[in-house]
Amino acid sequence: MAYFKIFYSCGCGDNEEYIEAADLASAEMTAYEYAVEDYERYAGYHGIPSVEDVAIDMFGDGDEDYDLSTLTESNWREVDLQYAEQMQSWLDYWAEEVSEHEYYYGEDYEEDEE
């Protein structure tokens, strides 16, 4: 196990955490998963499109009163693909390995020297 600082965002504020992971790829995957969770939490707010917003844009010509129950299973598959594509464009994430000291105390922590 190693120590990592991860950053993730979906456009509604930046998040930073320290985690333990097997390697950089695992840490980056965790950052990605957190960014997706963040996106899904804010979808439909602050300009972040929800799956319903995408469906309305695709099939309802932007009419907010469009009846989504009229969409077929095939339509929803198209919506899901477009939603996933749009989500990717909103996500920002990365990871970097840090020292054990930074993991426990943060990057700004300075020990008092006596």
Side-chain angles (χ1 to χ4, degrees):
M1 284 297 214
Y3 304 105
F4 296 90
K5 176 169 60 172
I6 63 170
F7 168 89
Y8 58 96
S9 176
C10 70
C12 281
D14 300 337
N15 300 287
E16 184 178 281
E17 292 188 32
Y18 289 87
I19 65 167
E20 288 184 62
D23 53 28
L24 181 60
S26 297
E28 288 173 337
M29 180 56 71
T30 299
Y32 171 77
E33 290 168 355
Y34 284 15
V36 168
E37 287 175 13
D38 216 30
Y39 182 93
E40 290 174 345
R41 182 178 13 252
Y42 289 107
Y45 301 99
H46 310 292
I48 297 175
S50 67
V51 69
E52 291 83 6
D53 295 332
V54 172
I56 288 168
D57 286 346
M58 290 177 70
F59 296 102
D61 295 324
D63 177 10
E64 291 182 19
D65 294 325
Y66 181 75
D67 184 3
L68 295 175
S69 68
T70 63
L71 297 182
T72 66
E73 192 173 311
S74 176
N75 293 144
W76 280 112
R77 280 195 296 273
E78 290 178 48
V79 168
D80 287 341
L81 289 172
Q82 181 65 29
Y83 175 74
E85 196 174 295
Q86 283 192 25
M87 181 190 329
Q88 293 305 311
S89 72
W90 284 80
L91 302 182
D92 187 19
Y93 60 93
W94 53 260
E96 69 180 39
E97 190 166 357
V98 297
S99 68
E100 180 178 13
H101 180 80
E102 184 176 342
Y103 173 78
Y104 284 107
Y105 301 106
E107 64 186 324
D108 296 329
Y109 177 82
E110 294 181 23
E111 292 186 71
D112 292 334
E113 293 188 32
E114 295 185 29

